[in-house]
Amino acid sequence: MRRYLMAGNWKMHKTIAEAVELATAVRAGLETSPPHLDVVVCPPFTALQAVAQVLKGSRIALGAQDTHWENQGAYTGEVSPVMLRDVGCTFVILGHSERRQLFGETDDDVGDKARAAVAHGLTPLICVGETLLERESGRTLGVVERQVEQALRHLGATEASRIVISYEPVWAIGTGHAATPEQAQVVQAFIRKLVATSHGDSVAAPLRVLYGGSVKPDNIGALMAQSDIDGALVGGACLQARSFLDIIHFPGA
Ligand code: PGA
């Protein structure tokens, strides 16, 4: 009943020309063999407008990598959800561990951003996940519980039904060491249970829970075979059209 979603997080990569080239290649690859799933690409802010032009009329959605929670104001360096809608975004990544760890983003911030995103018709792709230290000290589920609760705390059932959650163990991001399908499944089923408790089964059952962290063409099939993995948030492997397309067209897709 859940439609899979494959998202590419381009992070701080690609000039405008490079972004147009990558988006063009991804679009071309999906036109010849459209998969039965949703696809979103999240370029850096500077390339959003150019990529929006490339994607126009295609089935690929455009996402940003962050948003502020206010519509406008004296917030130097920030970009608002109104601006993201204006440029053509329908998705926004929130609470990525790189933002939490490197830029001091808090659980509170993520909750405020999620509320603002949904209010403006953006689908927030909310990232949660534990560090290696937290996993090794048995705190994985506790950390994820806190992050999910805080991220959803301003959302009623109707708003929560418009979000996507991505489980991204910090130790798996950019390391080449993805979580095993079984490790991911345990946490992702737990996330769905948390949402069922806080917002009801009618929100939790259709909720898409993605996995992120060293997803590659050769491990995506086994990950997607798990019952609570509804797609992937891909970093490094989405920077080349070929590998992103291979992930989208995973065996069994
Ligand atoms: P990775 O990044 O695929 O390069 O590990 C995933 C992410 O940060 O979303």
Side-chain angles (χ1 to χ4, degrees):
M1 71 193 275
R2 296 188 292 268
R3 202 175 149 80
Y4 294 147
L5 172 65
M6 294 296 183
N9 175 8
W10 296 11
K11 306 193 179 183
M12 196 172 75
H13 293 283
K14 308 290 180 187
T15 61
I16 294 172
E18 290 165 349
V20 164
E21 188 186 335
L22 176 56
T24 305
V26 172
R27 179 179 180 155
L30 294 183
E31 264 160 16
T32 47
S33 58
H36 302 290
L37 46 74
D38 296 327
V39 177
V40 52
V41 295
C42 304
F45 290 128
T46 46
L48 285 172
Q49 186 169 21
V51 171
Q53 295 305 315
V54 173
L55 301 183
K56 207 170 249 168
S58 80
R59 45 193 304 284
I60 306 169
L62 184 68
Q65 299 173 18
D66 191 18
T67 185
H68 195 267
W69 51 85
E70 296 289 349
N71 296 350
Q72 57 179 36
Y75 302 100
T76 301
E78 294 292 321
V79 173
S80 84
V82 174
M83 295 165 180
L84 296 182
R85 283 305 303 257
D86 191 38
V87 78
C89 288
T90 50
F91 282 80
V92 61
I93 296 171
L94 296 181
H96 191 280
S97 63
E98 286 152 16
R99 297 229 50 90
R100 294 179 192 259
Q101 293 202 312
L102 305 175
F103 304 102
E105 188 160 306
T106 64
D107 288 332
D108 238 27
D109 296 338
V110 179
D112 289 341
K113 290 176 179 193
R115 177 186 51 196
V118 171
H120 288 282
L122 293 162
T123 299
L125 226 158
I126 298 167
C127 303
V128 300
E130 80 289 358
T131 63
L132 187 58
L133 190 68
E134 288 163 341
R135 171 162 284 263
E136 287 178 341
S137 55
R139 286 183 286 151
T140 297
L141 298 185
V143 167
V144 167
E145 179 170 7
R146 188 199 74 226
Q147 291 174 335
V148 170
E149 263 174 16
Q150 294 292 309
L152 274 60
R153 75 189 192 288
H154 298 303
L155 309 180
T158 310
E159 290 86 33
S161 66
R162 304 209 201 106
I163 70 166
V164 175
I165 295 180
S166 189
Y167 170 54
E168 305 221 319
V170 179
W171 47 270
I173 295 176
T175 59
H177 301 294
T180 65
E182 295 74 22
Q183 284 174 321
Q185 168 61 24
V186 168
V187 182
Q188 305 205 190
F190 175 72
I191 291 171
R192 194 178 306 286
K193 222 171 72 198
L194 285 175
V195 175
T197 306
S198 61
H199 289 79
D201 276 331
S202 60
V203 174
L207 173 72
R208 292 190 284 190
V209 184
L210 313 186
Y211 167 79
S214 296
V215 170
K216 307 283 180 233
D218 63 1
N219 61 19
I220 185 67
L223 287 161
M224 293 300 291
Q226 298 294 321
S227 57
D228 286 287
I229 301 185
D230 307 310
L233 180 53
V234 184
C238 79
L239 296 175
Q240 252 99 47
R242 187 67 270 148
S243 50
F244 190 48
L245 289 166
D246 285 348
I247 288 169
I248 292 167
H249 294 120
F250 70 95

